[in-house]
Amino acid sequence: MKKLVQKLGLGEYLLVVLFGLALLAARFTGWSFGLGAGKNFWAFFSEMITFLPLMFILIGLIDVWTPKEKIEKHIGPGSGFKGTVWIILLAMLQAGPLYGAFPVAYLLWKKGCSIKNIFIYLGAFSTLKIPMLTFEIGFLGLKFSLLRSLLTLPVFIGIGYLMESYLRGRNFKIINPGDSDHAQGA
Amino acid sequence: MLILIITTAVALLASSLADRRKTLEGLKKSYKMFLGILPMLLNVLILVSIALYLVPKETLAKWLGANSGPAGYAIAAVIGSIALIPGFVAFPLAAMLLKSGVGYAVAAVFITTLMMVGILTLPLEIKFFGRKAALMRNGLSLAGALLIGLLMRVFM
């Protein structure tokens, strides 16, 4: 079976093909499972497909235009407290789901960002994005949102320090799944 | 979203005016990276869509609201860690929970794990960061979220 799948060139797209067929079948038979899951899928998919290509274009452009030394100076190892403030501000200005932050983390790492600041970036991205905060304030109130943000800040900074102290010197690297075949099926 | 579209368009225009070859090189990188994560991302989205269909929002609210003690805390952490709910669903859901009498601690744990811990996106995260770092980040974030919940209870 596995061989057949590989022969047909489906590989990692097997589930996608099966799901597509199920959606198609649901359309004709009115199968409620297929219709319901399909509706959810389109909601997620439309978010991803409008947002991710744009973000990748920006990442690609930033990659070719920004000199590593400059970035490294500001947010690399030895950039200190100021570097951490920069990286948090950068993360807060962004939008989108967490999986969108992974490619940015790869870019940051490639440009010499310190391990600590990479994980602080992920923390700030997931919890302090301004577009998301405005939403949170609207639904849960200013006091709740502000307090949650203030409590989260030291937590993810602490996580950044812990990650760095553990991963430094342990051959840590961030892989770009796009240019590596060895990451397949990992 | 509009800001992202404008920023990308302006950056693309400026870049291609400045150096066409370099721009193409950048776009090639973008394209390869996108293709690299696309299959796994689609798989994650499919699984989430199916899970969200099997366990709708109302059922989630019922589970979360059933218990406000330590058990409610644990349920919130588990659901928040696994679920991949976009903010525009998560915040109204949390507001609904608060209104129905669930404590601030439970709501905060739910929201924070939702934001910081991603079990469904773990395969994707491992692809970028490696198994060890990905597991460690999620584990520490889960512990952190529980701590934040406790502190919210103290301060709210």
Side-chain angles (χ1 to χ4, degrees):
Chain A
M1 181 67 194
K2 204 169 177 185
K3 267 212 173 117
L4 182 74
V5 167
Q6 270 167 1
K7 228 179 203 161
L8 290 171
L10 289 172
E12 291 176 295
Y13 284 100
L14 179 63
L15 183 64
V16 178
V17 172
L18 290 178
F19 190 69
L21 289 175
L23 290 196
L24 210 62
R27 176 146 272 191
F28 289 113
T29 59
W31 185 29
S32 64
F33 170 81
L35 292 177
K39 212 178 112 210
N40 289 336
F41 178 75
W42 285 119
F44 284 122
F45 183 72
S46 51
E47 180 193 24
M48 181 201 92
I49 209 68
T50 47
F51 151 88
L52 219 52
L54 291 173
M55 221 195 63
F56 273 115
I57 291 175
L58 276 180
I59 291 178
L61 292 179
I62 294 171
D63 192 357
V64 289
W65 283 108
T66 50
K68 185 176 171 181
E69 305 76 43
K70 261 218 171 103
I71 308 270
E72 195 164 9
K73 202 179 105 207
H74 288 293
I75 53 176
S79 59
F81 178 68
K82 231 167 152 184
T84 299
V85 173
W86 275 120
I87 205 84
I88 292 175
L89 288 178
L90 172 73
M92 284 179 76
L93 287 175
Q94 293 188 302
L98 180 62
Y99 60 71
F102 299 154
V104 181
Y106 161 73
L107 178 70
L108 289 172
W109 180 79
K110 198 179 155 198
K111 296 292 178 185
C113 180
S114 66
I115 298 177
K116 177 187 76 193
N117 281 343
I118 282 174
F119 285 98
I120 291 176
Y121 168 81
L122 288 179
F125 179 93
S126 52
T127 60
L128 294 184
K129 281 171 300 212
I130 289 172
M132 190 193 74
L133 282 182
T134 57
F135 222 73
E136 183 179 5
I137 293 168
F139 277 101
L140 299 174
L142 185 61
K143 192 183 168 198
F144 182 95
S145 311
L146 203 62
L147 196 57
R148 187 199 59 76
S149 304
L150 286 176
L151 290 173
T152 311
L153 187 69
V155 167
F156 67 68
I157 292 178
I159 289 175
Y161 275 92
L162 284 173
M163 295 298 292
E164 179 165 274
S165 69
Y166 180 75
L167 292 172
R168 195 172 32 201
R170 278 179 209 249
N171 219 352
F172 172 71
K173 57 178 187 289
I174 301 179
I175 293 164
N176 170 9
D179 61 25
S180 54
D181 288 316
H182 58 267
Q184 296 258 326
Chain B
M1 192 62 217
L2 192 65
I3 301 175
L4 185 65
I5 294 174
I6 294 170
T7 315
T8 311
V10 171
L12 200 55
L13 191 69
S15 174
S16 42
L17 284 178
D19 188 336
R20 225 181 150 144
R21 235 191 50 216
K22 221 167 170 180
T23 308
L24 276 177
E25 191 192 323
L27 288 180
K28 224 170 110 189
K29 281 186 182 182
S30 322
Y31 176 70
K32 268 170 81 180
M33 211 172 182
F34 182 63
L35 279 192
I37 71 162
L38 190 62
M40 190 166 262
L41 198 55
L42 285 174
N43 288 341
V44 170
L45 294 185
I46 288 172
L47 293 178
V48 174
S49 309
I50 293 173
L52 211 59
Y53 172 75
L54 295 175
V55 187
K57 203 167 66 171
E58 293 73 28
T59 315
L60 276 183
K62 215 172 76 192
W63 287 351
L64 284 163
N67 205 318
S68 213
Y73 213 66
I75 293 170
V78 170
I79 296 181
S81 301
I82 297 174
L84 189 84
I85 310 177
F88 58 86
V89 180
F91 292 126
L93 182 61
M96 211 161 86
L97 289 172
L98 283 177
K99 264 199 200 103
S100 68
V102 168
Y104 286 111
V106 172
V109 167
F110 175 62
I111 295 248
T112 313
T113 47
L114 211 51
M115 290 170 176
M116 296 181 77
V117 188
I119 299 213
L120 286 171
T121 47
L122 200 56
L124 197 65
E125 194 170 340
I126 289 174
K127 222 170 180 179
F128 277 95
F129 297 89
R131 191 176 305 269
K132 205 164 49 186
L135 286 175
M136 204 173 145
R137 190 197 71 79
N138 279 279
L140 287 173
S141 299
L142 178 61
L146 291 171
L147 181 70
I148 290 165
L150 275 176
L151 290 171
M152 285 295 278
R153 180 176 221 143
V154 176
F155 289 115
M156 275 305 273

